[in-house]
Every structure is written in C-alpha cells, then in structure tokens.
C-alpha cells in the first residue's frame, strides 16, 4: 500500500500554522523546558499522512487530501474521520513508535488519536518530559482518593480534570511551604515584599588590588512615555539607573539608585589599548584606578575562583528599585551559612549538586569558562539554598502522597512539581538577568542562548520567594495552565514511554506500523550536556519518587552520554581534549538507529524522518546512513517550521518530512546514466502535481529529493561507466537541476538553459528568492545543482544579514569585456543608468555586444520584473528598458566616434611616416 506521505503532504498548511496558534506547539512546550520541539501541526501531519493510504483513484485522493487539510485547522479537527480512515487502512491497529521522542511532540499526536503509541528516549530528563505530556494526561485518575491538601470540604464544584486539580493543589502547597521556609532569607523591604535582587560578581583589580563589580549596563529601567486612548503621548516617567562609586572610607564601593540615565560608564565595556586600538570583547574596567582587564584576563581570574558575588539592589513587588541595606545583606549571609549545614537527600545525593561539568563545555555551558566546575556552582548561595529547599519540599510531599493515593499517582504529581522546578531553573542561575523593555516594564530574562546553551552574566538577577515573574507562584500557574489546556478533548490513549537507546530498541521485530521520528540534527543541540542542570535538581526533588535517577554511568555523575547521538561542539581541542561524539560516531550510530527502525517496522510499514539542516554535507551523510540501513526514501516534503525560533548556529528555517520504506529484496544494480535519466523522468512526472498543489519553486527543489532517492533505491547499487559505485549524494544536485529543467523556465521567451552558466545561475536564484536573504548553505546547494564552483558565483550572492543575498548593481565591480557573462553586463547597465545614455552605451561597447542582443535584453526585462517594485535595481533596470532606443543610438554614436578617432589616428600615423 502506498502511503499518502509518499505522494502528498500539506506543506503550505504546515508552514502557515507552525508559528502561531494551536499548530505552533507553544502550549505543549510550556509544560516542560526543552531545547527542540516539532510544531504540533507538523507532528500531526507527519503522523496522519504516514498512516493514511494514497488510493489510485484521483477522486479518493482528493477526498483524503481535503480531510487532512481540514485536520490542519485545529488540534482535534476531523478527529472522528481520521480515526476511521486510519483504522480502515491499518487493520493491525495503526501503531506508531518514536525512538527519539524528546518531550514527545510526535507521539502526542498518535496518543490523541487513541493509537497504540510507543516513545523512547536515551536521556532520563527527556523520558520524564514525554511521560508528563503523552502518558499521565491520558490516564483516568478519577478513582484516586482525595489528596491531604486538596482543599476544604464543601468548596465550589471544580469541573476540571482530576489531574489538573490535584497538580494545582500540590503546587500551591509546595509554594506555601517554600515561602514559609525561605521568607526569613528574603526580608520585607520598606513594608513591601521583594520581587528579586540584582547581583554582580566582583573581581580584585590586578593593578590596585581592590574588588570592583562587573556590570555591563547601569540602566535598570528605561524611561517610558504613557499613551492616551487616542495614541497621543502623555506623561514621561524617568528611567532608573545604578551609580557605583568608591566608598568614602575603606576599599569598598557604594551603590546608589537614582532616576534618569546612568551618570557613569559600566565597568564591563569595550575599551582601547595603549595604542588606541579597540580591545576584542568586553573588558573589565576597575572602578577605582581605571585599569583595563581584557576578556582573557578577567575570564581567567573568574576561572581561578576569584569571583565573589555582591548584592547591589532590591526590586520590590511594584518594580520599584532600591539599594540594599545591611538587613538584606545579613539575610543573604545567613542563607549562605544555612546552605553549608543542609543534609544530603535520600540515596546519598548531596544537598548542593556536585555533578561535574565536563571539560571543553564552554560553548554549551558558558559558566564553565567563568569558574563553574559543578552544576552546584551556577547560582549564588541563597539561590542555591532556595532550590535545595524546593526539592526537599517536593520530596517530602511525595512521601505524604503515597500514604493517601496510589504510588503511580503520587509519582505523577511529584513529577509535575519537578517539571515546575525545571521551568523555574530557566529563570535562575547567574545566567538570568533583569531586562527592561522600551516602555519601562521589567522582566527576568531566561538563561538559554540559541535556545540551547546556558548563559553566564557577571551581573545577574535572583527572584525572591514571593509573587512575580520567574517566581515559584508564577511557574506553578504556568504549569497548571499548560496542563489544563492540554488535557485531551477526545478519548485518546496513554503512550508507553521508555528510556533507552535508539540503537538497541526494547521492541520485537515487525511490531509497529510506522516509525515517525525527529532525530538529533548533527551538532545543533547538545541535549545531555545542556539538560544536566535539570537532571541535577530533578533527581533531588524525585529522590524517592524516581530512585532510578540516582544511578548513572557518567564519570561526572551527570546523565550518561556514551551513546548520545549528536556531534559535540568542543572548545578544548587545542588543549588536547577530545569527545567521543564526533561526526564519525554520529554517522555510525544513526546507521544503527535506522537499522533498528527497519527491524521494528512491518515490511509494509513506513519510517518517516523529520530532519532539518542547512549543510549539503550533513544531508549527504544522513542519506548515506538511511541507505546503508536498507531503507529507501520515497517522499520528501519541505515546510517552513523554524522561522522566529532558534537563532544563530541552531537556526534553520526549513525542515523536511521524509518517508522511507524497507528496501525491496533482490534489487538489480543500476547504471549511472540510466538512473540519472529515470530521476529526471520521475521529477518531470511529479512536477505537474507539485504545481497543481501550490508548492513554491524553492519547495520543489527540496521535495525533489524524495523521488530521486526512490529511483536510486530501486537498485542495489549504482555503477558508473568504469563499474565503480556512485555515491548517493551525487543525485541530490541532479534532482534540483531536474526541477529547473521540468519547470521549463523561460526568460522573455528565451529558455533558461540557453544562457551562459553564470547568468543561468543568477536568473534562477532571482527566480527563487528575489532579494530575500537566504542561508549560506542554500548558496552551496544551488552551486552544486548548477555544477558550478562556488568561487565562480560567490560574488553574485555575497554575505548579508547573517546569510546571503543577490548582489546589487552598485556593489558589482566586475570588469566588463568581451568575455563578460550576460548577468555582469546587465548589472553594469543598471549601475550606469543614472549616468545617462552615453554611459550605458559604453557598457555595451566595452562588452562588444550587439545593441539588440536578445539574451541581454531578456535578462534585463526579467530582472526588472522579478525584483521588488521599490528595489533600486528594479527601478534601474526599468530605466534601462525605457532607454533602449537611446542606448542603441548611443552605441552607434560611440562606434562612429571610435571609428573617426581610429581613422584620425591612422591619418596622423601616416603623416608622421611621410615626414
């Protein structure tokens, strides 16, 4: 049976819903902090299209397409019809497995449909996240006894699901006990409760020896102008800033909080060396003597343990900021003393996390290059004490719960408490900082860079034990809201969640109908290393609820990483340190994982892989792993699922949803030329359907991988003319080129393929992307597809805004001569258009082009039409077109002038010879 995903996928609907509303997955994400998640709409589409059939009858195809498109309008849209169609097409039940479940976004969609669902993940933190999302919400807890703190009898009826009510009651009780335990360490200030505290790390100046605080900004709150209902500006509120100065007596410093902009420069800032040149990075500038400590020096001092936390200011519950008094400093000191006397947790876990941070982790765990050696080093002492107490309270509440409810229910409720601790960690440690918005509002910023690396800041923010953003109360409300919003509207089915490796799955062979998974993307995210901070605190909060968390094979007592399938970014290679998670390790383990997927899926089943990466080399390695696992790709569908999400190195915009089948037995070998012809033919056959379904040309390029790999998969191997095996990656650029050929693109009635190679590349790029910035990797893909050396076209698509963009005529400085490509002449014409007819005519003369060259004018027309209307070059090309007759006359005039000058020179030379 051909599956729907092998022939069609709702690309447009997935792209449209990935970043908003139900389809974004934002509500699912808010239950547990994790570093990657499929948008719900993509997960749902991948699941249902992998399980639905693709009938031969076109009317039936259209009916099922309409059903899927309806399903893309909501979380439970078309639920009954989907269940009926999936059940009919999968008589063995429509079971689904995700061996890289992460927080469980893909198996969640199968669980919602009530299908037999299995989720597996290597990391204990991820397995816990999956249970909270796809297991516990689908169980019936109605027969459990009442909790001991669920509320007084006779209270108003609460119609919410039992799990939501009990989680809320438990989190409220945790908060009550937490405030009771910690309030003396967070004293009331001026009759007001504190929201939080601003701290800064101090270092001793290497010149004068006095300690000074490192602050990157002294502005705490921006000035704000109120607006009336009509939008008119009203009164202006001054901002708030810190002023730090040497103390009047002694070696210390005084802190003042004042209205208005800062009165001095921050102590962590850009600086100049003795020669007046800018020093790389932020330097620490001594408050007392002005001595400059470059990044390498102050970072080295921090790494040597010379940093000491200093309390600077208090932010009250109404967001008023005041300096600290001796009372607040005494409370922080008392908390530090109390921390040293905290008893271990059950199972022998130390009160302060002693799980070590492995060497070379600076790019993932930034505090490790500023002195942090363990995950207990990430916070100031009072903040650490607050988390120790939170974990103790959750552990003690679990002990109370198992005396009243089932052990499984007690474990579930305690796990939601641990998830709330994880969410609070996102706004804690020295990576959290006070952020001011343009209208003067304050918030605490999270600790993750690129959504996956733990930040460090010399000046940081600590929340108190009362109400406010980043507080326990705030996090608890978020947990309850997320859980309540995610409780199933329809009778779904609890998923089976296991911890284990995708390379050795605990499942029988041929036991599931489909595998749908989102494997790790090479080196984008170091899941284990980054989530170790969660692991350290979760295992303490759940010391008795989940005693298995106390056991680990990791040398640093953190999560085991020996079989984690990623490529690790590693800072310390220059120091002779290494990590086993290399590209070779990643590729070998991915092959094993794909072989296991092939083993557990039925012979008529499907393995669907969601993957996103910009680099052609990574895609080539992935496809090789798929092929070596005896899987054949039969469908490939792009969707823009990541825009507005991850930034920097982890940023991708397009992911592919790829369908793979177990390779058929007895496949013959194939010949390269014949296979290439089949690939082109298959893409030409599919192209009308893609066009009818509304796929954009750029999406067609990515979709082409599916049919190309399906053709290649018909053969046991592909051999060249000498009988040598051909690498599968050879056919990816060919597939992209075949799309261009199938589109039969014409440039003002001139077939695109008849232009010179450089111009063909440029016009195709503009056809696809116009002036839009694209990832640098897309340039490499297009160069491969065009069979061009990257260096030969790099100047046409230079770097811009962290990507690449088609060059403007003003940026183009290439020489125009008789060897110039059409695109270079066209750009030169646009650049000269503002200088008049003579200048434009000279361009054609220099290029030795006929004034009526049809290819040149076709390219100019195309560029004028394709570039945005307000683009300067679009205007310039339009000007060139309107001046065509004048340019022709100018060329003729220049030619006559040149002939006259040449004749005059000949006459002069002849006269000289006569003399």
């Amino acid at each position: 049976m051909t599956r729907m995903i092998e022939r069609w996928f709702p690309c447009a609907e997935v792209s449209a819903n990935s970043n908003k509303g139900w389809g974004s997955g934002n509500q699912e994400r808010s239950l547990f902090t994790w570093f990657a998640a499929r948008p719900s709409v993509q997960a749902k589409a991948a699941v249902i299209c992998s399980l639905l059939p693709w009938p031969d009858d076109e009317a039936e195809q259209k009916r099922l397409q309409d059903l899927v498109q309806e399903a893309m309008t909501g979380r439970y849209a078309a639920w009954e019809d989907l269940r009926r169609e999936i059940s009919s097409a999968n008589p063995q039940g429509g079971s689904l497995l995700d061996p890289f479940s992460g927080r469980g976004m893909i198996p969640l969609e199968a669980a919602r449909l009530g299908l037999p669902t299995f989720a597996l993940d290597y990391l204990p933190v991820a397995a816990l996240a999956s249970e909270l999302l796809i297991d516990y919400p689908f169980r019936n807890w109605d027969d459990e006894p009442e909790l001991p703190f669920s509320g007084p009898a006779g209270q108003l009826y609460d119609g919410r699901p039992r799990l939501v009510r009990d989680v809320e009651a438990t989190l409220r009780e945790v908060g009550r006990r937490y405030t009771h335990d910690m309030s003396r360490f967070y004293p009331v200030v001026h009759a007001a409760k504190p929201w939080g505290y601003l701290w800064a790390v101090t270092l001793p100046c290497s010149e004068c020896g006095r300690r000074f605080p490192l602050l990157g900004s002294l502005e705490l709150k921006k000035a704000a102008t109120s607006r009336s209902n009509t939008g008119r500006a009203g009164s202006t509120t001054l901002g708030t800033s810190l002023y730090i100065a040497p103390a009047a007596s002694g070696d210390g410093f005084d802190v003042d909080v004042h209205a208005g902009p800062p009165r001095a420069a921050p102590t962590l800032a850009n600086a100049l060396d003795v020669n007046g040149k800018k020093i790389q990075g932020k330097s620490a500038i001594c408050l007392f003597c002005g001595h400059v400590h470059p990044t390498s020096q102050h970072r080295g001092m921090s790494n040597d343990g010379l940093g000491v936390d200093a309390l600077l200011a208090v932010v009250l519950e109404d967001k008023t900021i005041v300096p600290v008094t001796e009372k607040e400093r005494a409370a922080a000191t008392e908390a530090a003393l109390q921390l040293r006397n905290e008893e271990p947790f059950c199972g022998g876990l130390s009160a302060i996390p002693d799980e070590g941070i492995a060497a070379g982790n600076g790019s993932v765990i930034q505090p490790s290059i500023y002195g942090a050696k363990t995950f207990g080093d990430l916070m100031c002492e009072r903040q650490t004490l607050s988390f120790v107490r939170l974990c103790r309270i959750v552990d003690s509440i679990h002990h109370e719960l198992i005396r009243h409810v089932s052990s499984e229910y007690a474990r579930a409720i305690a796990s939601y408490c641990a998830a709330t601790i994880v969410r609070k960690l996102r706004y804690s440690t020295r990576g959290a900082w006070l952020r001011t918005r343009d209208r003067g509002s304050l918030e605490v910023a999270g600790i993750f860079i690129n959504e996956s690396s733990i930040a460090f800041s010399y000046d940081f923010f600590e929340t108190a034990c009362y109400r406010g953003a980043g507080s326990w109360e705030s996090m608890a409300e978020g947990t309850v809201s997320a859980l309540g919003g995610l409780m199933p509207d329809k009778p779904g089915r609890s998923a089976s969640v296991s911890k284990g490796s995708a390379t050795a799955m605990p499942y029988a062979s041929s036991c599931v109908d489909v595998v749908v998974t989102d494997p790790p993307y090479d080196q984008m995210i170091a899941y284990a290393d980054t989530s170790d901070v969660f692991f350290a605190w979760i295992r303490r909060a759940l010391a008795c609820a989940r005693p298995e968390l106390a056991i680990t094979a990791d040398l640093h007592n953190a999560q085991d990483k020996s079989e984690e399938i990623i490529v690790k970014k590693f800072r310390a290679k220059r120091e002779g340190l290494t990590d086993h998670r290399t590209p070779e390790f990643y590729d070998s383990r991915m092959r094993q994982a794909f072989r296991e997927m092939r083993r557990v899926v039925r012979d008529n089943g499907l393995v669907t892989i969601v993957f996103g990466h910009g680099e052609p080399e990574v895609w080539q390695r992935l496809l090789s792993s798929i092929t070596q696992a005896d899987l054949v790709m039969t469908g490939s569908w792009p969707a823009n699922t990541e825009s507005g999400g991850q930034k920097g190195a982890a940023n991708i915009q397009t992911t592919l949803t790829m369908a793979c089948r177990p390779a058929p037995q007895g496949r013959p070998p194939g010949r390269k030329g014949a296979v290439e012809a089949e690939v082109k033919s298959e893409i030409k056959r599919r192209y009308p359907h893609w066009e009818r379904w509304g796929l954009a040309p750029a999406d067609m390029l990515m979709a082409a991988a599916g049919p190309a790999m399906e053709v290649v998969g018909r053969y046991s191997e592909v051999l060249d003319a000498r009988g040598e095996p051909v690498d599968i990656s050879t056919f990816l650029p060919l597939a992209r080129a075949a799309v261009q050929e199938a589109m039969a693109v014409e440039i003002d009635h001139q077939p695109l393929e008849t232009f010179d190679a450089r111009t063909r590349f440029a016009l195709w790029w503009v056809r696809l992307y116009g002036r839009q910035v694209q990832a640098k990797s897309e340039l490499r893909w297009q160069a491969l597809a065009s069979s061009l050396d990257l260096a030969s076209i790099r100047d046409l698509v230079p770097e811009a805004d962290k990507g690449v963009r088609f060059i403007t005529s003003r940026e183009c400085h290439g020489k125009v001569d008789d060897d110039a490509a059409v695109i270079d002449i066209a750009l030169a014409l646009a650049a000269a258009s503002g200088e008049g007819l003579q200048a434009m005519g000279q361009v054609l003369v220099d290029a030795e082009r006929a004034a009526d060259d049809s290819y040149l004018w076709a390219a100019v027309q195309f560029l004028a039409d394709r570039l945005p209307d307000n683009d300067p070059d679009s205007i310039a090309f339009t000007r060139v077109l309107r001046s065509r007759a004048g340019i022709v006359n100018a060329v003729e005039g220049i030619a006559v002038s040149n002939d006259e000058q040449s004749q005059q020179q000949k006459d002069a030379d002849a006269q000289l010879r006569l003399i």
Side-chain angles (χ1 to χ4, degrees):
M1 175 180 68
T2 301
R3 304 272 180 168
M4 174 178 279
I5 198 169
E6 296 178 283
R7 293 295 178 265
W8 179 83
F9 190 74
C11 299
E13 289 79 5
V14 170
S15 295
N17 289 287
S18 286
N19 295 297
K20 61 183 179 181
W22 76 273
S24 66
N26 289 337
Q27 191 167 40
E28 288 81 356
R29 290 185 182 96
S30 62
L31 190 62
F32 194 100
T33 300
W34 197 240
F35 315 107
R38 287 298 92 228
S40 292
V41 65
Q42 187 179 29
K44 184 176 184 180
V47 168
I48 62 180
C49 290
S50 297
L51 288 164
L52 287 172
W54 185 251
D56 293 331
D57 182 70
E58 288 193 10
E60 275 296 285
Q61 293 173 7
K62 180 65 167 59
R63 184 182 68 83
L64 289 178
Q65 284 175 303
D66 290 344
L67 173 61
V68 172
Q69 287 171 331
E70 180 187 351
M72 296 296 99
T73 62
R75 188 173 284 132
Y76 283 94
W79 187 83
E80 290 85 358
D81 290 339
L82 283 175
R83 279 177 54 89
R84 183 178 62 254
E85 294 292 345
I86 289 172
S87 176
S88 174
N90 298 271
Q92 291 177 293
S95 55
L96 178 143
L97 164 66
D98 182 357
F100 293 104
S101 69
R103 79 177 80 202
M105 296 293 281
I106 289 174
L108 172 62
E109 297 305 323
R112 281 173 169 159
L113 285 167
L115 304 175
T117 306
F118 305 90
L120 183 73
D121 203 278
Y122 181 66
L123 299 180
V125 174
L128 172 62
S130 285
E131 286 186 19
L132 298 177
L133 185 64
I134 65 177
D135 180 1
Y136 298 143
F138 292 93
R139 297 196 196 185
N140 185 349
W141 305 103
D142 291 344
D143 293 334
E144 292 286 343
E146 289 295 321
L147 305 189
F149 36 76
S150 58
Q155 65 181 3
L156 293 175
Y157 172 73
D158 188 339
R160 293 176 299 171
R162 175 69 187 278
L163 180 63
V164 178
R165 288 185 279 127
D166 286 352
V167 167
E168 181 180 53
T170 307
L171 293 176
R172 185 170 54 244
E173 179 64 14
V174 171
R176 188 189 67 78
R177 298 183 190 185
Y178 172 60
T179 302
H180 179 268
D181 274 8
M182 292 298 298
S183 58
R184 68 189 177 102
F185 302 115
Y186 296 108
V188 170
V189 182
H190 306 306
K193 292 178 180 178
W195 167 42
Y197 301 82
L198 181 66
W199 293 77
V201 175
T202 66
L203 289 174
C205 175
S206 62
E207 184 69 19
C208 69
R210 287 175 285 186
R211 281 195 168 273
F212 66 100
L214 279 68
L215 293 104
S217 173
L218 297 178
E219 183 183 55
L220 301 182
K221 187 188 293 187
K222 293 182 183 294
T225 301
S226 63
R227 297 279 176 181
S228 67
N229 293 334
T230 60
R232 292 183 177 179
S235 61
T236 298
T237 304
L238 295 176
T240 306
S241 301
L242 279 181
Y243 180 70
I244 303 177
S249 61
D251 291 335
F253 54 87
D254 293 328
V255 180
D256 182 35
V257 178
H258 64 88
R263 299 172 185 168
T267 54
L268 190 66
N270 293 319
L272 304 178
D273 62 18
V274 293
N275 298 315
K277 293 183 178 180
K278 183 179 177 181
I279 300 173
Q280 187 176 8
K282 294 290 182 71
S283 296
I285 305 167
C286 178
L287 177 70
F288 302 96
C289 69
H291 182 71
V292 174
H293 305 75
T295 300
S296 58
Q297 184 180 9
H298 66 71
R299 184 181 287 171
M301 295 167 69
S302 297
N303 206 29
D304 289 340
L306 298 180
V308 175
D309 297 320
L311 188 55
L312 302 182
V314 187
V315 186
L316 304 180
E317 56 188 350
D318 65 354
K319 303 304 188 293
T320 301
I321 305 172
V322 297
V324 295
T325 65
E326 286 306 314
K327 181 181 179 181
E328 283 85 51
R329 289 196 176 92
T333 301
E334 184 186 0
L337 293 173
Q338 181 62 46
L339 180 63
R340 296 166 196 168
N341 297 321
E342 289 292 307
E343 297 293 327
F345 288 84
C346 68
L349 292 170
S350 62
I352 303 173
D354 57 2
E355 290 83 354
I357 302 171
N361 250 319
S363 61
V364 176
I365 307 170
Q366 218 176 65
S368 67
I369 57 176
Y370 291 91
K373 302 296 187 293
T374 70
F375 287 97
D377 294 336
L378 269 55
M379 303 176 183
C380 66
E381 291 169 303
R382 182 169 60 185
Q383 196 175 49
T384 303
L385 177 66
S386 74
F387 275 89
V388 171
R389 292 294 176 85
L390 269 175
C391 290
R392 285 201 197 286
I393 292 166
V394 172
D395 189 36
S396 66
I397 279 182
H398 173 260
H399 280 284
E400 295 175 32
L401 287 174
I402 56 178
R403 296 197 294 268
H404 294 84
V405 300
S406 70
S407 59
E408 194 64 20
Y409 195 42
R411 176 182 168 105
I413 292 175
S415 296
Y416 283 107
C417 294
T420 307
I421 290 176
V422 166
R423 296 180 62 246
K424 183 169 170 55
L425 279 166
R426 182 168 189 162
Y427 302 99
S428 304
T429 82
R430 291 188 188 87
W433 49 283
L434 188 65
R435 176 160 55 193
T436 175
R437 293 298 191 183
D438 289 339
R439 295 196 175 184
S441 62
L442 293 175
E443 62 183 32
V444 55
I447 66 174
F448 292 109
I449 306 169
N450 295 334
E451 295 190 1
S452 58
S453 300
I454 299 174
F456 170 85
S457 179
Y458 280 119
D459 49 338
F460 59 96
F461 188 72
E462 174 201 14
T463 55
C465 63
Y466 307 109
R467 184 171 180 80
S471 68
W472 175 262
E473 185 174 349
S474 172
M475 296 298 104
E477 288 174 355
T479 297
V480 174
S481 175
L483 180 60
L486 292 171
M487 291 300 290
D489 292 345
K490 303 287 184 180
R493 180 169 178 166
S494 173
S496 172
V497 180
S498 302
K499 179 190 171 301
S501 173
T503 61
M505 299 185 205
Y507 307 112
S509 298
S510 303
C511 66
V512 295
D513 290 299
V514 294
V515 172
V516 183
T517 191
D518 178 19
Y521 296 176
D522 200 72
Q523 67 170 357
M524 281 191 179
I525 298 174
Y527 298 93
D529 294 275
T530 308
S531 63
D532 274 343
V533 65
F534 300 156
F535 178 70
W537 291 106
I538 286 173
R539 66 200 308 214
R540 285 163 173 78
L542 303 178
C544 294
R546 294 177 180 266
E548 69 275 9
L549 294 177
I551 304 168
T552 176
D554 184 62
L555 293 175
H556 302 281
N557 200 31
Q559 294 177 106
D560 183 39
K561 302 166 185 67
S562 59
E563 289 296 320
E564 185 187 20
I565 307 177
I566 65 164
V567 177
K568 180 67 186 296
K569 295 179 183 177
F570 206 59
R571 293 183 69 101
K573 288 183 179 178
R574 60 182 179 274
E575 301 168 17
L577 300 174
T578 58
D579 192 284
H580 69 281
R581 291 166 289 179
T582 62
E584 294 75 21
F585 176 88
Y586 174 85
D587 291 346
S588 68
R589 294 305 189 272
M590 286 295 283
R591 281 195 296 273
Q592 291 180 34
F594 289 141
R595 287 192 186 106
E596 277 290 272
M597 296 178 207
R598 167 67 182 86
R599 180 184 67 81
V600 300
V601 79
R602 306 189 203 283
D603 287 341
N604 64 344
L606 213 62
V607 174
T608 296
I609 302 164
V610 181
F611 195 80
H613 206 286
E615 295 298 329
E617 182 259 341
V618 173
W619 279 106
Q620 291 162 2
R621 286 167 37 214
L622 179 80
L623 286 176
S624 293
S625 296
I626 291 172
T627 302
Q628 292 169 24
D630 277 341
L631 290 170
V632 176
M633 188 193 299
T634 56
S636 173
W637 306 101
N640 189 331
T641 59
E642 308 295 328
S643 61
Q646 298 175 352
K647 304 296 181 185
N651 183 40
I652 51 173
Q653 287 194 343
T654 302
T655 53
L656 283 189
T657 304
M658 301 172 287
C660 302
R661 277 194 178 276
Q665 299 296 317
R667 294 174 296 165
R671 287 291 177 178
K672 182 174 181 288
V675 173
E676 287 178 343
E678 284 186 67
V679 168
K680 291 180 180 180
S681 176
E682 184 64 23
I683 289 174
K684 186 176 182 180
R685 188 179 69 82
R686 302 271 185 101
Y687 171 75
H689 300 292
W690 294 343
E691 191 173 43
R692 177 161 50 89
W693 297 332
L695 262 69
D699 290 340
M700 292 182 191
L701 295 179
M702 302 194 77
M709 292 302 103
E710 182 177 2
V711 168
V712 174
R714 296 170 187 165
Y715 304 96
S716 59
E717 60 180 347
V718 180
L719 306 175
D720 63 18
R722 294 176 296 179
E724 297 293 330
V726 178
D727 192 284
I728 192 172
S729 63
T730 303
F731 298 97
L732 288 178
L734 173 71
R736 285 174 161 248
V739 171
Q740 180 179 321
E741 185 177 318
M743 288 178 69
V745 176
E746 289 191 347
I747 309 299
D748 196 26
H749 308 297
Q750 303 290 344
L752 181 61
E753 63 267 21
T754 61
F755 285 78
D756 63 88
R758 181 174 163 88
T759 302
R760 187 165 61 245
F761 167 87
L763 298 180
W764 177 244
W765 182 280
V766 172
R767 169 73 172 79
L768 293 175
Y769 307 119
R771 274 279 188 242
Q772 294 177 352
V773 175
Q774 297 297 314
K776 296 176 184 178
S777 56
E778 185 58 26
L779 178 60
R780 291 189 283 276
W781 275 115
Q782 293 298 338
L784 284 170
S786 301
S787 301
L788 290 170
D789 180 67
L790 185 61
S792 68
I793 42 87
R794 191 71 180 80
D795 59 317
L796 287 173
V797 190
E799 293 186 12
D801 301 330
K802 297 183 179 181
V804 292
R805 181 170 53 199
F806 186 67
I807 195 170
T808 65
S809 61
R810 289 187 178 183
E811 297 172 315
C812 189
H813 302 295
K815 183 180 179 182
V816 175
D817 55 24
D818 59 342
D819 289 329
V822 166
I823 186 61
D824 296 307
I825 302 170
L827 288 167
L829 275 173
S833 65
E835 301 175 24
L837 295 174
Q838 194 73 9
M840 290 187 280
Q842 189 62 53
V843 169
L844 295 187
V845 171
D846 292 342
E848 298 185 17
R849 287 273 176 165
D852 60 349
D853 187 305
S854 59
Y855 284 95
L856 174 61
W857 291 107
V860 170
Q861 181 71 62
F862 178 84
L863 293 167
D865 293 340
R866 283 288 173 175
L867 292 173
D869 292 341
N870 59 349
D871 186 278
D873 276 352
S874 177
I875 297 169
F877 284 122
T878 301
R879 187 186 304 126
V880 171
L881 288 169
R882 290 173 178 171
S883 306
R884 181 171 178 175
I887 295 171
V888 171
N889 292 334
V891 169
E892 293 174 352
I894 293 170
V896 170
S897 177
N898 288 345
D899 289 343
E900 291 176 351
Q901 290 179 14
S902 176
Q903 186 59 50
Q904 290 173 1
Q905 185 62 47
K906 289 179 181 178
D907 293 344
D909 290 343
Q911 186 64 32
L912 286 172
R913 286 195 298 273
L914 290 172
I915 294 172

